[in-house]
Amino acid sequence: MEIRGVKKKINQIKKDKILYLLIAPTLVYFFIFRLWPILNMKLAFYDYKAVGPWKFVGLKYFNLIFKSPSIKIILTNTLIISFMKYVLLFPFVVLFAILLAEIKSTFFRKYVQIVSFLPHFLSWVVIAGIWISFLSPSSGAVNQILGIFNIPSVSFMTNKDTIRWVLLFSEAWRSIGWDSIIYYAAIISISPSIYEAATIDGANRFSIIKYIIIPALVVPMVTMFILNLGFFLNAGFDQVLNFTNDAVNSKIDILDTYIYRIGLINGQYSLGTAVGVIKGIVGVVLVLFTHLGSKKLTGKGVW
């Protein structure tokens, strides 16, 4: 029976070979860039050598990280930027989905969707170029508007007080439309009969949003918030790398750029891997504790 079952599965695979070929590039990608790095996290506990066996050094590189005078600044930058992106921006994503669902004109709603989704498909190289031009102190649109009101121009990209807000607004411009899809889908899945019953009972739009739409968004909101916490220490490597410069690097230098600098540029692979391991552990712990807290408070979590 077991042999017959195996043969049946093999025949099924042969029958669906085109589908397996289509998914093969994705599987190869995840194996090379997701699974293989996990298997090689042991590098954090060894002295890397291009030739010859690696020497086990225990927690040597973890001690170096925590003794480094710059790690406190880098960790602070990472936490602040991540908080701005994953916590401050989160309610506006939900609000955008609600406002999108409130648009009655189908043509205008589709137009808003296209305009808000499009930036998600642009690379951070392109987005950085757009925002650098947009915020230019000499020819940027923002400073031209400030000039109309006789306000001195501001070099947003080289100002330590504004650069983090530039990261936040550029992230919002790129992702707020795309990230709202899951909430918009939850809203349009609400049965029309519920709206009809609420209207008959005399509920206005604000009451409908408060007592029907928002409760329907609780589950996806909790799920997405918990999952986002797993990436809390990422803070956006591509974005920061393209927006940084010597004038503001001390304010937006994050763990990912630190790993890139010490690992790839300076060739300290073991030290860079150790920082990555710490990031991974913190991410798992945040997801676990947030999930357990959510289950206790609301009865709902990721699993």
Side-chain angles (χ1 to χ4, degrees):
M1 291 295 292
E2 291 182 1
I3 296 176
R4 186 179 300 175
V6 171
K7 288 183 178 180
K8 186 177 180 180
K9 289 181 180 179
I10 292 175
N11 290 333
Q12 186 65 40
I13 292 174
K14 289 180 179 179
K15 183 179 178 181
D16 298 330
K17 60 183 178 181
I18 300 300
L19 298 177
Y20 285 100
L21 287 174
L22 289 173
I23 201 175
T26 302
L27 295 176
V28 171
Y29 168 81
F30 274 92
F31 178 80
I32 295 175
F33 296 103
R34 294 292 186 267
L35 181 59
W36 188 250
I38 293 175
L39 297 176
N40 281 280
M41 285 195 303
K42 65 178 184 179
L43 181 59
F45 304 94
Y46 288 82
D47 270 333
Y48 172 79
K49 292 182 180 180
V51 180
W54 298 349
K55 180 183 178 182
F56 181 77
V57 293
L59 300 178
K60 170 186 173 182
Y61 292 104
F62 293 94
N63 291 330
L64 289 176
I65 292 170
F66 292 114
K67 290 180 180 179
S68 172
S70 60
I71 195 65
K72 182 178 179 180
I73 297 174
I74 294 171
L75 184 58
T76 301
N77 292 339
T78 304
L79 293 175
I80 292 174
I81 294 172
S82 292
F83 177 82
M84 294 173 73
K85 288 184 179 182
Y86 294 120
V87 179
L88 293 185
L89 191 59
F90 184 76
F92 293 97
V93 176
V94 179
L95 178 62
F96 182 82
I98 295 174
L99 294 176
L100 188 63
E102 290 298 303
I103 298 176
K104 300 302 180 184
S105 171
T106 302
F107 173 80
F108 184 62
R109 183 170 63 250
K110 290 182 178 180
Y111 174 79
V112 173
Q113 286 178 304
I114 292 172
V115 172
S116 61
F117 293 175
L118 184 61
H120 174 79
F121 299 98
L122 300 178
S123 71
W124 277 113
V125 177
V126 175
I127 294 174
I130 293 173
W131 279 77
I132 290 171
S133 176
F134 184 65
L135 299 174
S136 171
S138 57
S139 59
V142 173
N143 279 302
Q144 288 183 7
I145 294 173
L146 292 178
I148 296 175
F149 299 97
N150 294 321
I151 300 175
S153 63
V154 180
S155 182
F156 294 97
M157 298 301 300
T158 58
N159 189 323
K160 292 183 178 180
D161 295 328
T162 60
I163 188 61
R164 287 173 178 166
W165 292 104
V166 172
L167 295 182
L168 176 65
F169 286 112
S170 61
E171 174 67 30
W173 179 73
R174 180 181 184 268
S175 63
I176 196 168
W178 180 262
D179 291 348
S180 67
I181 290 177
I182 187 171
Y183 307 112
Y184 177 71
I187 293 172
I188 63 177
S189 66
I190 299 174
S191 175
S193 61
I194 298 177
Y195 292 120
E196 293 174 2
T199 304
I200 293 173
D201 290 339
N204 55 29
R205 291 307 303 174
F206 179 78
S207 298
I208 291 174
I209 292 173
K210 183 177 180 181
Y211 295 107
I212 297 177
I213 295 179
I214 292 181
L217 296 178
V218 170
V219 173
M221 285 171 62
V222 170
T223 303
M224 293 306 299
F225 184 75
I226 293 173
L227 293 176
N228 284 339
L229 282 180
F231 301 97
F232 197 77
L233 293 184
N234 281 6
F237 168 75
D238 292 340
Q239 182 190 25
V240 173
L241 187 66
N242 284 283
F243 276 78
T244 193
N245 54 71
D246 292 338
V248 297
N249 190 54
S250 62
K251 283 290 184 178
I252 60 174
D253 190 20
I254 59 175
L255 286 173
D256 282 340
T257 53
Y258 178 68
I259 293 171
Y260 169 75
R261 188 167 59 253
I262 65 173
L264 295 181
I265 296 180
N266 296 335
Q268 300 182 52
Y269 303 116
S270 297
L271 187 59
T273 304
V275 179
V277 169
I278 294 174
K279 275 186 55 185
I281 293 173
V282 172
V284 171
V285 171
L286 285 174
V287 170
L288 180 60
F289 276 93
T290 309
H291 165 75
L292 295 176
S294 175
K295 290 283 284 187
K296 186 174 182 180
L297 295 174
T298 67
K300 298 179 177 67
V302 178
W303 62 84

